[in-house]
């Protein structure tokens, strides 16, 4: 029972920490997260995201912690080496789900050891190659394992796996499942900001987001609004400022609003507020933009992803093309919309209807 209480306390502490961006630990978030999970579940933890390369695949982000040294010294570095080597020659479909757009049944669902075995035994051919070439040499197939494919809509945010010598039970699966929501929200914010932490860099990052977004002081004043936020403020005036302040006080418990405090030296004085509910007319605006800007089907996809705030790297991954090809598509869209920057494109997008 003491172990259960301790684990529940660790879970609550980790959930709270995921809701806050800390400038002190921002650069090592993946490693910090893996360490916290390794301590919570008492075993090795690995998180990563892969993207297509010119040949095969490559690891875009990776963090691994073996808090209890369950499978040898330097094991996480060796795991990354084996995995990277495997990916360079891996086919398009090399695991039990689509690595870029996991099937709906795979998204944000925690699988325990029995469910994982069923997936791995379903197809003994190509899909078992990663088990044969990576897991088996590391001895991971001998350890109980649970994993979750964290997604933003249909798109992969990160793969997260936990191993350990002790059996993994239903309580462990339930605890990891309770973290899925906080993990997804934090990973979305991390990708949205792409390392930005100062007021100036956060403002630049928010300007690339289609939904109304604000940098707000804890006391309630709006310090910065992106283009969509400014347009909304012109329509709603002081009532919008009051709504944003209410959202900060409620710390994200308002439907359709996400709030992420920015912490420095143990305290937070600002927060990022994104009003997702104001994005409902995006499809209608996209239809208008397609006609007015004479977009091709691929360029329409690019505009939709730009409106989400995706970077060229994310656009490339989602369209299964190289980053250079994504840059060409973005440049073509800017030309057709007669603008010079992504921020100007988004402003025109939201002023179309």
């Amino acid at each position: 029972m003491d172990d259960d209480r301790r684990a529940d306390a660790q879970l609550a502490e980790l959930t709270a920490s995921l809701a806050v961006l800390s400038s002190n630990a921002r650069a090592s978030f993946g490693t910090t997260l893996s360490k916290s999970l390794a301590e919570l579940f008492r075993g090795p933890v690995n998180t990563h995201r892969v993207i297509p390369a010119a040949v095969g695949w490559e690891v875009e982000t990776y963090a691994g912690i073996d808090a209890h040294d369950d499978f040898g010294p330097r094991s996480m570095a060796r795991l990354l080496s084996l995995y990277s080597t495997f990916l360079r020659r891996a086919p398009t479909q090399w695991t039990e789900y689509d690595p870029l757009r996991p099937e709906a049944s795979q998204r944000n669902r925690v699988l325990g050891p029995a469910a994982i075995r069923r997936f791995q035994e379903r197809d003994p051919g190509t899909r078992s190659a990663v088990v044969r070439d990576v897991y088996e040499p590391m001895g991971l197939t001998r350890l109980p394992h649970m994993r979750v494919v964290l997604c933003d809509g249909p798109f992969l945010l990160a793969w997260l796996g936990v191993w350990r010598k002790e059996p993994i039970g239903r309580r462990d699966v339930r605890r990891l499942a309770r973290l899925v929501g906080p993990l997804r929200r934090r990973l979305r914010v991390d990708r949205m900001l792409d390392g930005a932490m100062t007021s100036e860099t956060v403002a630049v990052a928010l300007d690339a987001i289609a939904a109304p977004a604000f940098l707000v002081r804890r006391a309630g004043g709006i310090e910065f609004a992106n283009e969509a936020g400014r347009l909304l403020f012109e329509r709603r005036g002081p009532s919008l400022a009051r709504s944003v302040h209410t959202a900060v006080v409620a710390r994200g418990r308002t439907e359709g609003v996400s709030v992420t405090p920015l912490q420095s030296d143990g305290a937070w004085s600002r927060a990022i507020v994104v009003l997702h509910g104001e994005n409902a007319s995006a499809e209608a605006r996209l239809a208008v933009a397609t006609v007015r800007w004479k977009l091709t089907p691929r360029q329409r996809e690019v505009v939709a992803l730009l409106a989400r705030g995706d970077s060229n790297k994310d656009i490339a991954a989602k369209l299964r093309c190289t980053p250079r090809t994504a840059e060409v598509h973005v440049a073509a869209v800017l030309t057709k919309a007669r603008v010079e920057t992504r921020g100007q494109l988004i402003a025109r997008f939201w002023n179309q209807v």
Side-chain angles (χ1 to χ4, degrees), residues 186-263:
R186 174 58 185 271
L187 288 169
R188 281 200 300 263
V189 171
D190 267 40
R191 295 196 69 79
M192 177 181 76
L193 295 182
D194 194 24
M197 275 306 299
T198 67
S199 296
E200 293 77 12
T201 56
V202 167
V204 171
L206 295 187
D207 247 339
I209 302 170
F214 308 87
L215 182 62
V216 184
R217 297 188 189 95
R218 187 168 187 169
I222 297 176
E223 189 169 302
F224 172 83
N226 67 358
E227 186 66 29
R230 289 190 288 273
L231 291 172
L232 186 62
F233 187 81
E234 289 174 5
R235 296 201 304 269
R236 292 177 50 184
S239 68
L240 175 64
R242 289 193 293 272
S243 297
V244 169
H245 182 226
T246 299
V248 172
V249 172
R251 290 288 295 274
R253 291 186 292 272
T254 306
E255 185 70 26
V257 180
S258 66
V259 177
T260 306
L262 301 179
Q263 187 179 77

Side-chain angles (χ1 to χ4, degrees), residues 52-53 57 92-93 98-103 298 313-323 325:
W57 300 73
T92 300
Q93 181 77 37
D98 183 327
L100 286 180
R101 293 177 179 237
E103 296 76 13
R298 179 46 60 96
K313 185 164 57 176
D314 277 350
I315 291 171
K318 292 172 182 179
L319 297 184
R320 300 179 188 270
C321 64
T322 66
T325 301

Side-chain angles (χ1 to χ4, degrees), residues 104-112 115 118-119 122 147-151 173 176-177 180:
S105 62
Q106 292 273 0
R107 299 172 202 158
N108 307 308
R109 174 189 173 196
V110 179
L111 299 181
R118 287 195 295 272
F119 272 114
R122 183 175 299 173
R147 62 90 162 154
V148 59
V149 180
L150 297 164
C151 297
V173 172
L176 183 54
V180 167

